[in-house]
Amino acid sequence: PLVVRQVLRETDSAVTLVLADPAGARLEFAAGQFFTLLVPCDPAGGPPLRRAYSACTSPLDADGQPATTVAITCKRVAGGIVSNYINDRVAVGDVLSVLGPSGHFTPHPSADKRRHLVLIGGGSGITPLLSILRATLHSEPESRITLIYGNRSAADILFHSLLEQLAAQHAERLQDEIADEPHHHR
């Protein structure tokens, strides 16, 4: 079980949940991993529905220790039972059943590495990339990162101000190309 510490509205259609262990224990996960939420959104009391969401935060705190929180971001899907429930009903103080962490999309940052990572994503696919970006900037002072990130429109850009802030703070190490293109229907 993890408790919802914060609910952050990212865009009109996406929300970030900051989750923590109710006892305050540190959370062990790797940048790029995901967590599976068991969401009790059936009003008839049926079994919870499972949905996987990537961590968008670094697994390390400012002191380099395992973090005490993890954040996941859920983008609303038209007709999506779970995404609409999370966006509309989950509140601070709620306790969610969470499985994980899971996944192997992890670069395992380390201070002795010197590399150039190229991260490419679109839309809500930014979430694991943001975790990797944050962890690498924190843990690999000799590494560079290029982020290429596309969206349907400027209003759909998740973490836009955070990405601009990180690019300004790490201008010599982080190059970002954030594009928003009008969505064309055929």
Side-chain angles (χ1 to χ4, degrees):
L2 295 179
V3 64
V4 178
R5 293 284 185 226
Q6 289 181 288
V7 177
L8 307 169
R9 176 67 47 199
E10 300 294 345
T11 67
D12 289 344
S13 62
V15 65
T16 294
L17 304 179
V18 178
L19 307 170
D21 180 271
R26 295 191 179 274
L27 302 173
E28 303 265 343
F29 66 98
Q33 286 191 306
F34 65 90
F35 293 84
T36 301
L37 276 60
L38 284 70
V39 184
C41 52
D42 183 355
L49 298 177
R50 295 173 182 230
R51 295 295 185 275
Y53 296 98
S54 296
C56 59
T57 49
S58 173
L60 302 175
D61 66 15
D63 297 323
Q65 298 300 309
T68 57
T69 62
V70 63
I72 58 98
T73 300
C74 175
K75 187 170 181 177
R76 186 184 306 274
V77 175
I81 296 169
V82 174
S83 69
N84 283 294
Y85 180 88
I86 290 173
N87 271 267
D88 297 336
R89 306 256 328 263
V90 173
V92 171
D94 287 355
V95 176
L96 300 174
S97 293
V98 179
L99 304 175
S102 303
H104 301 286
F105 182 60
T106 55
H108 299 289
S110 174
D112 62 344
K113 292 182 180 175
R114 181 183 181 138
R115 56 186 166 174
H116 182 190
L117 291 178
V118 178
L119 306 174
I120 302 171
S124 60
I126 188 67
T127 55
L129 302 182
L130 186 56
S131 179
I132 291 167
L133 177 77
R134 287 170 149 170
T136 303
L137 286 172
H138 181 268
S139 300
E140 294 183 15
E142 299 298 316
S143 291
R144 293 182 314 117
I145 303 169
T146 300
L147 172 66
I148 302 168
Y149 175 42
N151 292 274
R152 290 183 180 174
S153 71
D156 293 319
I157 299 174
L158 291 171
F159 311 111
H160 192 246
S161 62
L162 174 61
L163 290 168
E164 286 181 336
Q165 177 186 0
L166 288 170
Q169 288 174 338
H170 303 279
E172 69 288 349
R173 297 179 46 221
L174 173 60
Q175 176 185 0
D176 65 333
E177 296 295 329
I178 302 172
D180 58 87
E181 290 291 324
H183 186 65
H184 298 287
H185 295 282
R186 291 185 185 188

